[in-house]
Amino acid sequence: MFTRKLRIAALVAASLFGMSAVQATDITGAGSSFVYPVLSKWSAKYAETTGNKINYQSVGSGAGIAQIKEGTIDFGASDAPLSSEDLTKFGLGQFPSVVGGIVPIVNLQGVTAGQLKLTGPVLADIFMGKVARWNDPAIAALNPGVKLPDVKVTVVHRSDGSGTSFNFTNYLSKVSNEWASKVKFGTAVDWPTGVGGKGNEGVSQYVRQIPGSIGYVEYAYAKKNKISYAQMQNAAGKWVQPTAETFGAAAATADWASAKDFNLIMTNAAGDQAWPITATTWIIMYKKSKNPSHTKVAFDFFKFAFDKGQADAASLDYVALPTSLTQKIQAYWNSDFNK
Amino acid sequence: MHATASNAATPLERSAGTGRAAKDARNDLIFGGVLKACALIVLLSLIGAAGSTLWLGQDAFRTFGWGFLTSAAWDPSNDQYGALVPIMGTVGTAFIALLFAVPISFGIALFLTEIAPQWLRGPVASAIELLAGIPSIIYGMWGLFIFAPFVATHIKPWLMNNFSADPPDGQVSWLVQHVPFIAKFFSSEYPFFGAGVLTAGLVLAVMIIPFISSVMREVFQTVPTRLKESAYALGSSTWEVVWDIVVPYTRTAVIGGVFLGLGRALGETMAVAFVLGNTFKFSLSFLETGSSIASTIANQFGEAQGLQRSALMAIAFLLFVVTFIVLLIARLMLRRLATKEGN
């Protein structure tokens, strides 16, 4: 009886003093909006088990990079990897966090989701404005049996600087020399044709409104909003649908071994099953920590996410990193950090 | 006796009087200084804001020189930037917004002060104030999901059929064949797509109507009833009273209200970003997509680095300049109007 009372008192005290009772550490991160949904879900789970909170501000990759360089946050998140020079100059290291897919979405009457087939070079020509009608021989040759209308192609791209655009244009640069030399790739580029929608929301809304339009969004958006998307031919020459398996295959078969500091954009990955426009977000941290206790929590958090975060990632249409890759990342933590 | 009494009293009174006067003078001085400081804070913060955007944008100005103003390029991957398209989009959308908002606001204000029955004035006035309180992102969403599709299905095809050289129905109208240049203002690559300069201007018009009409309503109410009644007594119609009495009496304040609206239209960000189409292509057409300064900054600032960031700061500075020039022109027009009337 007495012990029970004591236990209740202890419980009340613990709940009153809350976090201080378990000596929680709050760490801060900022950057990419691409990872925001999954990071916030992970951090909620992590806080439940450890009491440590992760405050993540989704302010955009550029701002995240700027803040980690200034040292005002514990980790930054960027949809584009930092160059080796930048990493060395600021004493930073980086590693991938989670995988997501980018899909071409189309508004074509009578064409169902995943039915339309596109290759990288044709997709690049469409976004260059060179393939201007849907019944163009270049598209028709890939799609025997699909009734393609004689309608003008309207390209819809992102108007805001974004990691989605970065990875999409990076892919087009890899599959089209003309794109690589003229338009290049980046979070925002000088689009040769088309109109710009703000955010995934804006792009998917414009695509719905314009008959004969083609855009690109994160897979989760296309799936949630039931927009028709295209299947793609990958680097191995196989036709693939955007699914968790093909995103995961891209992450597993990308050439990480030769990439120093994981400085590799995984579009156009080599695997048979790899979805060609697959993206990740890099977590950027100081190799020699400015605040060791915070860094320790940050590593613990990402280890937790890699080990136990698959289900949460999948529920939001992300794919957790394959084990082969998380092992590489943890080896990298041990070898390169806290020197 | 009398003299001594007054003599005895005077120094005391005088010293009390001068003390009080000195205190008053000192207080006035302090009060005046505080007021002056308040006014100067506005000026200083304006100069500070403009100066810091100029400072942060100096890389872009130095790299592109005067060409920055005339170039239509906006190419982050090749680091080529020009402000022409955003400037045109900003001025174009604000112009269209005023074109629609000023007459409508004028009508609203006149109706509320001169014509509406007493029981209707309150509800309509509150409705206007409610409109003014809606955040711009809501207007942006409304524009994106409801208004732009409406423009695409009803307004734009009609305009293009009648005024463009490349109408969706294939028949070039009589007007286009006989009036030169008109087709330039009504062409569009995307006849069935609603976003564009006109759509953004109309959304802005809805946003600034509350500002302009509530200022107009307030000032119309300040016109002395005596003036209006005299005019009515002389047999004037309501329209004559409004045009000859109310409007001249309130002109400066009315124009002040219009500028409040114009200021919001020039600087509006979120709503415009959703319905302008966000392209960097030079075009004179109202139906084409475009970019504005504020929407470009909002779209690209988060991810921008290096020269791109500097170019965004540079166009922010140009927004100050554009606004300043527009206000200057308005002031000059107002002065000319005043001299014409002999004031």
Side-chain angles (χ1 to χ4, degrees), chain B residues 45-267:
Chain B
S45 48
L46 188 72
I47 293 170
S52 54
T53 51
L54 181 62
W55 175 255
L56 292 167
Q58 59 179 334
D59 272 357
F61 284 123
R62 210 176 289 143
T63 313
F64 304 112
W66 289 106
F68 189 65
L69 297 177
T70 53
S71 158
W74 194 274
D75 186 352
S77 41
N78 295 310
D79 261 345
Q80 287 297 317
Y81 305 98
L84 184 64
V85 175
I87 290 177
M88 283 195 34
T90 306
V91 175
T93 50
F95 172 75
I96 291 172
L98 282 191
L99 202 67
F100 286 93
V102 170
I104 292 173
S105 307
F106 188 72
I108 293 172
L110 278 186
F111 176 77
L112 285 179
T113 50
E114 307 295 329
I115 296 164
Q118 226 24 272
W119 61 268
L120 195 59
R121 294 184 185 192
V124 175
S126 336
I128 289 171
E129 265 141 42
L130 210 65
L131 267 185
I134 295 175
S136 61
I137 184 97
I138 310 280
Y139 283 104
M141 294 310 231
W142 169 74
L144 175 65
F145 289 111
I146 295 160
F147 189 63
F150 176 80
V151 171
T153 48
H154 294 99
I155 300 175
K156 199 168 172 180
W158 184 84
L159 284 173
M160 286 190 74
N161 281 336
N162 286 297
F163 300 112
S164 86
D166 183 25
D169 68 357
Q171 288 179 313
V172 177
S173 69
W174 181 89
L175 208 64
V176 175
Q177 287 171 2
H178 293 85
V179 184
F181 300 121
I182 190 165
K184 284 224 182 310
F185 300 108
F186 293 95
S187 66
S188 175
E189 254 186 83
Y190 315 104
F192 302 105
F193 176 54
V197 175
L198 178 71
T199 311
L202 290 174
V203 171
L204 283 177
V206 177
M207 293 178 67
I208 65 178
I209 279 173
F211 286 88
I212 304 179
S213 59
S214 63
V215 170
M216 282 186 175
R217 188 179 71 99
E218 295 287 330
V219 296
F220 286 171
Q221 279 171 343
T222 64
V223 178
T225 326
R226 225 178 324 133
L227 283 183
K228 290 194 266 180
E229 277 170 357
S230 337
Y232 279 122
L234 291 172
S236 301
S237 65
T238 309
W239 172 251
E240 284 167 335
V241 169
V242 167
W243 200 245
D244 296 328
I245 309 291
V246 176
V247 170
Y249 190 85
T250 56
R251 181 179 291 130
T252 328
V254 163
I255 290 177
V258 170
F259 278 104
L260 208 64
L262 178 63
R264 182 159 191 202
L266 283 172

Side-chain angles (χ1 to χ4, degrees), chain A residues 132-207:
Chain A
R133 301 198 78 82
W134 280 106
N135 57 356
D136 190 288
I139 305 176
L142 302 172
N143 293 282
V146 179
K147 210 169 158 281
L148 291 163
D150 181 16
V151 173
K152 208 176 84 118
V153 176
T154 301
V155 166
V156 182
H157 52 76
R158 287 282 286 268
S159 64
D160 45 339
S162 74
T164 313
S165 292
F166 176 87
N167 286 290
F168 186 73
T169 52
N170 175 271
Y171 171 65
L172 296 184
S173 297
K174 283 182 181 168
V175 294
S176 157
N177 289 329
E178 197 179 346
W179 189 281
S181 63
K182 279 192 192 155
V183 190
K184 300 179 184 170
F185 66 92
T187 54
V189 298
D190 185 17
W191 295 94
T193 180
V195 296
K198 188 164 165 46
N200 282 302
E201 188 59 46
V203 170
S204 56
Q205 194 56 31
Y206 279 4
V207 167

